[in-house]
Amino acid sequence: MILMTGATGALGRLVAARLAGRDDVAIGSRAPDTVPAGRPARLIDFEHPASLAEGFAGVDTLLMISAGYGEDDVVIARHGAAIEAAEKAGVAHIVYTSLSGAGDHLAYALAHRWTERRLREGTAGWTILRNGLYAELLATLAPVVDGRITAPLGSGRLAAVAREDLADVAALVATGASAHTGRTYELVGEEAVGGAELAAALTEATGDAVSYEPGTLAGAREAFTALGLAPFQVPMLTSTYSSIANGFMDTTGGDLRSLLGRAPRPALEVIVAGLREQGRDAGRPKGPLPGRGEGRGPV
């Protein structure tokens, strides 16, 4: 049996849709009564470890979507409890959605790296999916206001990846986990996108002139603070801007194409579509924030 967690998040919903209809898949949730009818559900609450022993019983493969919405100590406690309970229950294999190797400068990287180390030191087989930052995330972090993109991306670029592609890979690996034992996959995009490219693409797509005039990190921090975000969210967001702007997130390539067996979805098209869907005039991020548990983030 395959059990997946985080099925209510942005990535998790896509993965669950790909696994729908299989009689060997169950959804783990803190609120199993909210799982759509016809899909087997189990109570899984990382913050209440007593719920995990029964929930993991009889599970062969656990697809553990990061529960990264919180401070490091909170996330580590969640992940540690889940892995320990899975091992005690005899789960043979854990597939974990982590953060790309290029993301070590991000404020939300530490809990991912701790979880990877815990898996490698554990007793269950493991596969680590190091997800790049979503193209959809950049669409939320680089809104167009009055014909301008002012996100503080500098001259940096992001090797963004479509969330749909990451969902395809997660479903593929989870349903054939034994073939991926002990593997760490880097799942980043094949094109690096910056503010200038995004502005040019939007101008072409909409016929309206869009310019890129990068602002400052201080300005972004002030704007995010004014939104009333949780204290830990603000450094998550500003570190994302800073890491992109300073050239740490532009490494392309990796294992995405070989696992998909096709070319990845063009990141620039995904970003432009996301911005157009938002109306391009909201002026503030919408949707999942980096590091948010997918039921993460940006991952």
Side-chain angles (χ1 to χ4, degrees):
M1 172 183 283
I2 299 168
L3 177 74
M4 72 164 290
T5 66
T8 60
L11 176 62
R13 286 194 300 269
L14 295 176
V15 179
R18 284 153 174 76
L19 298 176
R22 294 182 60 109
D23 59 10
D24 61 343
V25 175
I27 304 297
S29 173
R30 288 179 296 177
D33 56 330
T34 65
V35 174
R39 297 188 183 182
R42 295 187 177 193
L43 174 62
I44 297 290
D45 188 341
F46 289 178
E47 294 186 353
H48 293 87
S51 74
L52 300 177
E54 183 176 352
F56 289 149
V59 172
D60 301 302
T61 298
L62 170 63
L63 173 56
M64 187 171 125
I65 300 204
S66 169
Y69 186 60
E71 299 281 4
D72 284 344
D73 56 348
V74 173
V75 178
I76 287 170
R78 291 170 181 160
H79 290 179
I83 294 169
E84 181 178 358
E87 291 174 340
K88 288 181 177 178
V91 173
H93 199 109
I94 301 173
V95 179
Y96 173 63
T97 61
S98 188
L99 175 69
S100 69
D104 281 345
H105 294 278
L106 296 168
Y108 38 99
L110 187 147
H112 286 293
R113 298 297 177 250
W114 182 92
T115 305
E116 292 182 7
R117 183 179 67 186
R118 174 64 179 82
L119 286 170
R120 293 188 179 106
E121 293 174 349
T123 58
W126 54 266
T127 305
I128 294 167
L129 305 180
R130 282 186 161 181
N131 291 347
L133 297 188
Y134 304 147
E136 294 86 349
L137 173 64
L138 190 55
T140 71
L141 295 180
V144 180
V145 181
D146 298 328
R148 300 183 302 149
I149 296 172
T150 60
L153 301 172
S155 59
R157 293 174 172 83
L158 172 65
V161 58
R163 193 185 284 118
E164 294 269 3
D165 284 341
L166 296 177
D168 287 341
V169 170
L172 180 150
V173 171
T175 54
S178 61
H180 304 279
T181 301
R183 299 294 301 274
T184 298
Y185 292 116
E186 291 288 343
L187 305 175
V188 296
E190 293 187 346
E191 58 179 319
V193 178
E197 291 90 353
L198 184 52
L202 278 167
T203 298
E204 181 178 356
T206 66
D208 298 324
V210 177
S211 63
Y212 173 52
E213 304 172 26
T216 65
L217 284 173
R221 184 181 297 275
E222 183 177 317
F224 287 133
T225 300
L227 290 176
L229 301 181
F232 68 86
Q233 290 179 302
V234 176
M236 285 182 170
L237 290 160
T238 54
S239 74
T240 301
Y241 283 137
S242 185
S243 293
I244 296 171
N246 289 290
F248 288 101
M249 302 300 296
D250 60 0
T251 301
T252 58
D255 303 298
L256 189 62
R257 179 183 286 258
S258 61
L259 286 167
L260 291 172
R262 58 167 173 80
R265 292 168 172 83
L268 193 55
E269 291 182 11
V270 175
I271 298 167
V272 169
L275 284 168
R276 296 186 72 176
E277 185 177 344
Q278 291 176 24
R280 307 191 307 277
D281 61 354
R284 61 179 58 185
K286 298 178 181 178
L289 298 177
R292 180 166 185 166
E294 290 290 355
R296 105 322 212 194
V299 291

